């Protein structure tokens, strides 16, 4: 059963699929499993995507510890670096830890980089 809103997108599906296939696929540079007492509680994945303006490197660290069905610890760190040649052009990080979020952005500014 297709909902009316979804049906409105049907004529655009070939265009959407073509646009998505034109994007370069990220290459996994590293993948680590995080274990606690032999059970997986998270993973860390580092990917790189070649773009027209250089390279985008993404690091995704996700840890979720449960005890008796309850979450006792949750942490997620997502960083993105844009490299032009071998120089850092932009950096962002978002850290979610036990419900609190912190963000950092480093952007081009003047003759160097500036942090927010």
């Amino acid at each position: 059963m297709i909902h009316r809103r979804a049906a409105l997108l049907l004529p655009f599906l070939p265009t959407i699929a073509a646009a998505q296939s034109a994007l370069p696929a990220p290459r996994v540079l590293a993948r680590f499993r995080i274990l606690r007492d032999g059970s997986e509680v998270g993973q860390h994945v580092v990917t790189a995507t070649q773009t027209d303006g250089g390279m985008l490197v993404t690091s995704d660290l996700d840890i979720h510890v449960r005890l008796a069905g309850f979450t006792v610890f949750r942490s997620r760190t997502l960083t993105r670096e844009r490299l032009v040649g071998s120089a850092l052009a932009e950096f962002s990080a978002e850290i979610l830890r036990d419900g609190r979020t912190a963000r950092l952005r480093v952007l081009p500014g003047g003759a160097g980089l500036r942090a927010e």
Side-chain angles (χ1 to χ4, degrees), residues 35-49:
L35 304 175
R36 179 180 179 270
D37 295 332
S39 297
E40 186 172 332
V41 294
Q43 64 176 347
H44 185 189
V45 180
V46 180
T47 60
T49 306

Side-chain angles (χ1 to χ4, degrees), residues 64-81:
H64 190 179
V65 180
R66 293 175 177 244
L67 184 64
F70 294 98
T71 298
V72 294
F73 179 78
R74 178 74 194 210
S75 177
R76 181 158 192 215
T77 302
L78 180 63
T79 63
R80 291 185 181 93
E81 301 174 36

